[in-house]
Amino acid sequence: MNEILKMAFGSLGVNKLRSFLTMSGITIGVFSVIGVMTAVSALRGSIETGLSFLGSNMFQFSRFPAFGVNGNSEHKYLARRRVSLDQAQRYIEFMRGSADVICLKAFANGNPLVQASYGNHKTTKGVTFGGTNQYFLKANQFEIGTGRNFSPEDVDLVRPFALIGQEIVDKLFPSENPLGKLLKANDRTYTVIGVFASKGTMFGGSEDNIIMIPISRFLMDFGAEQYSVNIATESPSQTQYNATMEKGITAMRVVRGLRPEQDNDFEIYSNDTLIAAFAKVADVVSSGAFVISAIALLAAGVGIMNIMLVSVTERTKEIGVRKAVGARKIVILTQFLVESVVLSVTGGLVGILLGTVAGDGLAAVLSAEIVFPWGWAAAGVVVCTAIGVVFGMYPAWKAASLDPIEALRYE
Amino acid sequence: MSPPAPVETRPVRPVGPLVIAIEGVTKLYQMGEETIHALRGVTLDIRRNEYLAIMGPSGSGKSTLMNMLGCLDTPTSGKYEFNGNDVAAMTDDELAEIRNREIGFVFQTFNLLPRSDALRNVELPLIYAGVPSGERHERARLALESVGLGNRIHHKPNELSGGQRQRVAVARALVNRPSIILADEPTGNLDSKTGVEILALFEDLYEAGNTLIVVTHEEAVARHARRVIRLHDGLIESDGHVY
Ligand SMILES: Nc1ncnc2c1ncn2[C@@H]1O[C@H](COP(=O)(O)OP(=O)(O)O)[C@@H](O)[C@H]1O
Ligand SMILES: [Mg+2]
């Protein structure tokens, strides 16, 4: 066996470029699936270990689901009534005593992209801009760096105040204290009352590139009829979580005026449902990667078969010599099979390596934890071995069945 | 052609048991419409410790016969027994085993693996015989020494002269201690001086107790053998211990 491996590497080394090109097909096929799987498992791992979308013990109601809206069902969501600020405030009333930390949020839809300015200073387009209340900090794990949080009165009195992220400070107030200054966002003017402590990046976007104003002000300035309010509720404790959510759903149904036979006309998410939704998206992406890599691997397998057939023809004389000195069929068969398996597995290992690096690279950009996908890597090696065997079988069988004297005579 | 050298200069060793027995062997090649009768019915016994030359003009069927004796090719009809076993009844793998253990074949064009060094080429039959690597290296090295190439074992074929390549081929034929050594025009691709060296090597092998069958169309080569068979148009014209 050792001998056969040595021979295989030897003869593959003779045609380095050709071997390399043949291998690269396998590499691409394995790369795509391993890359996606690595990224997905890294993200999934991070999400499950607490890098949550919502604060812990929180659930959220909104008009639209978080992700995975596909063409057909979009109508269903568009037909839903918006969640108005009035409904949200009645919800808060209902929940008083059961849950006090209830964050209301609405975000500019990004059309046009939001840009803020102060004097001659401008931010780039694409600032996260929205309205909220005093519980934004708690619900989204923000903290105040300098200045103060919104107060209930700021919301009640529809004050034109703003809390801004560190990136906005860097861009608009490079050499000034931002507190008390008037900045412009979407052509409206707001007084800066506080700066969020820097959070860094999450899922590829900076969380410091943000301007938040009181939700009442946001809806007044940009049209209450345009926006639906998201309601995030924090259960007082883990043990009361389910009961609180039950109560919250009931409150929402009352506020929305639903009759008992009507379905909920709002989405409910908790970290669990968000994880499930993520998993669904991940599954779609993964199946896509599977299809792509299956096609790539099939093509690569045919490439291996082709190159092995060429190799058998080129080495007819060598095969004749080996047979003349006593190589049995199975030995020749094994030799060529090992060559094709070495080709495909080497290609596969390179693909696994590159895929892991790329997948983890993506995961790192999205601040997820780095993983090595042992299971996928093992599956990749198994699949590549199978490809080598399946597509190498015919050429190897052809080599093994050559007539010794015909083979020796071949020029 | 020059007359043979006097017989008394060469010792004739007593022959041993029968190794090869062929009877009424024919070989036909179909070339489109035309049928070529390469062998038309050859009957021949060869014993251990013989030194046999097969002579004949080009196209007389020498190589065809030789390939058959070497179990590389099978007859169209007729009987071939090797060490008492019917070759026609053997499977491909059994034939491979006979070629591996019982027959050492030396080709006119050497047929060495170009990318492997001399040692590796000589090792090849031992690899297929399943000899472990330590013993294999040792035996291959000894075989190369016995043909005078002890200092060339790591040369590739293209780093060796024609005569040296043919010596490597002879070493490869010897290394598994076969029953017989078959050589098809072993000097055909060599200059006459190098050819003489190879023939001297064969003489040594014969005197050391090996069985040799050499195909040639040169009287000067055939003169070294102890028995000469003359083929003509696929038939044995004469068979005798001529010298
Ligand atoms: N593979 C083959 N296909 C067709 N004809 C062949 C083949 N091998 C040999 N022959 C023919 O058989 C005859 C004997 O050939 P060969 O044994 O090579 O003769 P020699 O070795 O004595 O020159 C020749 O006529 C040759 O053309
Ligand atoms: Mg010939």
Side-chain angles (χ1 to χ4, degrees):
Chain A
M1 195 62 215
N2 194 10
E3 282 301 322
I4 292 175
L5 269 180
K6 233 193 272 176
M7 281 187 212
F9 278 107
S11 48
L12 292 175
V14 171
N15 254 308
K16 288 197 185 61
L17 179 64
R18 197 167 79 185
S19 304
F20 171 77
L21 290 176
T22 309
M23 271 168 25
S24 59
I26 295 278
T27 303
I28 290 165
V30 172
F31 169 82
S32 59
V33 76
I34 295 283
V36 169
M37 290 309 158
T38 307
V40 165
S41 35
L43 287 178
R44 183 171 289 158
S46 299
I47 284 166
E48 282 166 9
T49 56
L51 229 189
S52 20
F53 293 87
L54 299 171
S56 52
N57 295 341
M58 297 210 76
F59 56 89
Q60 179 166 319
F61 298 117
S62 68
R63 181 183 179 198
F64 294 128
F67 354 65
V69 181
N70 56 40
N72 277 341
S73 50
E74 207 161 344
H75 294 292
K76 170 175 141 197
Y77 303 120
L78 284 173
R80 285 176 176 173
R81 289 168 297 148
R82 279 180 289 276
V83 180
S84 67
L85 184 57
D86 192 48
Q87 287 173 352
Q89 272 159 350
R90 282 175 56 213
Y91 172 84
I92 292 172
E93 289 303 320
F94 270 111
M95 293 302 281
R96 185 151 290 157
S98 303
D100 294 324
V101 178
I102 298 175
C103 169
L104 306 182
K105 283 182 286 191
F107 286 98
N109 57 20
N111 187 20
L113 290 174
V114 176
Q115 192 174 24
S117 62
Y118 173 72
N120 295 328
H121 298 287
K122 274 190 168 65
T123 64
T124 49
K125 290 185 179 176
V127 176
T128 303
F129 180 49
T132 189
N133 62 8
Q134 67 272 27
Y135 294 118
F136 183 76
L137 299 181
K138 194 138 193 213
N140 296 279
Q141 293 107 53
F142 275 88
E143 276 171 37
I144 291 292
T146 57
R148 67 165 177 91
N149 190 7
F150 294 132
S151 66
E153 294 78 52
D154 293 337
V155 178
D156 291 345
L157 301 178
V158 202
R159 282 176 180 149
F161 285 172
L163 294 176
I164 62 176
Q166 190 56 45
E167 210 173 308
I168 306 293
V169 175
D170 294 343
K171 295 237 172 75
L172 299 187
F173 308 100
S175 53
E176 285 177 75
N177 180 356
L179 294 181
K181 301 288 184 328
L182 289 173
L183 61 68
K184 269 193 159 181
N186 271 10
D187 288 330
R188 307 285 172 149
T189 311
Y190 303 99
T191 306
V192 178
I193 61 164
V195 176
F196 295 122
S198 180
K199 277 187 81 170
T201 57
M202 182 194 184
F203 297 106
S206 164
E207 287 193 283
D208 295 332
N209 190 21
I210 188 169
I211 301 173
M212 296 305 289
I213 63 176
I215 181 127
S216 48
R217 187 77 200 185
F218 182 81
L219 293 175
M220 188 181 96
D221 284 355
F222 302 106
E225 68 289 350
Q226 297 251 23
Y227 291 94
S228 180
V229 178
N230 295 339
I231 304 168
T233 310
E234 186 186 61
S235 155
S237 74
Q238 178 71 51
T239 48
Q240 286 162 270
Y241 184 79
N242 287 336
T244 312
M245 181 142 70
E246 283 303 311
K247 177 128 201 239
I249 292 168
T250 310
M252 268 310 271
R253 289 183 62 88
V254 172
V255 162
R256 301 280 275 171
L258 295 177
R259 291 190 302 277
E261 71 276 13
Q262 284 177 307
D263 288 337
N264 290 343
D265 64 347
F266 50 90
E267 293 296 311
I268 305 154
Y269 2 117
S270 58
N271 280 325
D272 288 349
T273 63
L274 288 175
I275 287 166
F278 172 80
K280 217 162 149 189
V281 173
D283 283 348
V284 171
V285 173
S286 308
S287 339
F290 266 117
V291 171
I292 290 169
S293 67
I295 292 168
L297 288 178
L298 197 70
V302 172
I304 286 188
M305 178 142 110
N306 176 50
I307 231 63
M308 291 309 295
L309 283 172
V310 170
S311 166
V312 168
T313 306
E314 281 175 354
R315 287 154 66 194
T316 300
K317 185 126 191 167
E318 174 195 324
I319 296 164
V321 171
R322 292 181 185 278
K323 292 200 133 194
V325 301
R328 283 172 300 133
K329 267 187 166 177
I330 186 76
V331 174
I332 302 285
L333 186 92
T334 312
Q335 181 189 340
F336 279 87
L337 264 191
V338 166
E339 270 179 41
S340 67
V341 169
V342 165
L343 261 182
S344 63
V345 170
T346 310
L349 288 177
V350 174
I352 288 168
L353 201 75
L354 294 181
T356 308
V357 168
D360 275 336
L362 187 64
V365 167
L366 302 181
S367 346
E369 237 172 75
I370 298 225
V371 296
F372 187 84
W374 290 109
W376 292 110
V381 171
V382 169
V383 167
C384 288
T385 308
I387 287 172
V389 170
V390 168
F391 289 94
M393 188 53 87
Y394 174 64
W397 174 83
K398 212 177 150 192
S401 314
L402 284 175
D403 181 55
I405 197 73
E406 295 293 331
L408 275 175
R409 220 176 259 139
Y410 182 88
E411 284 307 329
Chain B
M1 288 178 209
S2 55
V7 69
E8 64 272 17
T9 58
R10 284 190 295 271
V12 178
R13 294 174 53 86
V15 295
L18 203 60
V19 185
I20 284 172
I22 62 174
E23 210 182 305
V25 158
T26 68
K27 181 76 185 181
L28 305 184
Y29 290 110
Q30 199 67 43
M31 297 287 282
E33 297 284 276
E34 203 185 348
T35 306
I36 297 164
H37 293 260
L39 295 175
R40 295 168 186 272
V42 173
T43 300
L44 185 63
D45 285 350
I46 300 169
R47 295 177 171 279
R48 206 170 278 273
N49 292 338
E50 281 202 87
Y51 186 174
L52 175 77
I54 299 176
M55 290 207 65
S58 181
S60 58
K62 305 182 298 291
S63 293
T64 305
L65 177 59
M66 199 64 155
N67 292 337
M68 219 165 274
L69 295 180
C71 293
L72 284 166
D73 208 352
T74 47
T76 308
S77 70
K79 202 166 162 195
Y80 177 14
E81 280 187 2
F82 190 94
N83 280 337
N85 300 314
D86 183 8
V87 171
M90 292 183 189
T91 64
D92 285 354
D93 283 352
E94 284 167 341
L95 289 174
E97 180 138 347
I98 296 260
R99 290 197 294 272
N100 185 246
R101 294 176 192 275
E102 305 290 347
I103 293 164
F105 215 112
V106 179
F107 301 90
Q108 178 173 355
T109 54
F110 322 138
N111 282 339
L112 300 175
L113 297 184
R115 296 194 304 268
S116 305
D117 64 15
L119 188 70
R120 186 104 188 123
N121 267 290
V122 174
E123 273 186 295
L124 209 55
L126 299 176
I127 291 175
Y128 295 130
V131 176
S133 73
E135 184 189 341
R136 205 168 67 208
H137 288 316
E138 190 53 23
R139 278 170 63 179
R141 203 178 49 74
L142 286 175
L144 280 165
E145 267 171 18
S146 75
V147 299
L149 286 179
N151 55 348
R152 294 280 192 283
I153 62 173
H154 291 304
H155 287 55
K156 299 251 172 82
N158 64 4
E159 297 159 352
L160 295 168
S161 71
Q164 288 170 332
R165 283 183 218 180
Q166 195 58 297
R167 282 160 191 267
V168 174
V170 171
R172 183 178 65 189
L174 284 176
V175 75
N176 238 355
R177 305 185 194 109
S179 299
I180 55 172
I181 293 164
L182 305 178
D184 189 355
E185 311 247 9
T187 61
N189 277 12
L190 303 176
D191 60 50
S192 55
K193 182 171 165 287
T194 324
V196 167
E197 282 173 28
I198 293 294
L199 290 171
L201 180 60
F202 282 1
E203 189 67 30
D204 293 345
L205 292 175
Y206 171 63
E207 279 168 23
N210 288 289
T211 311
L212 288 120
I213 306 174
V214 179
V215 160
T216 182
H217 61 268
E218 292 174 77
E219 291 290 343
V221 174
R223 211 163 58 200
H224 289 77
R226 304 304 190 270
R227 175 184 171 195
V228 176
I229 285 168
R230 291 176 193 274
L231 271 185
H232 190 80
D233 203 13
L235 282 170
I236 293 183
E237 201 180 45
S238 71
D239 175 0
H241 299 262
V242 186
Y243 305 120

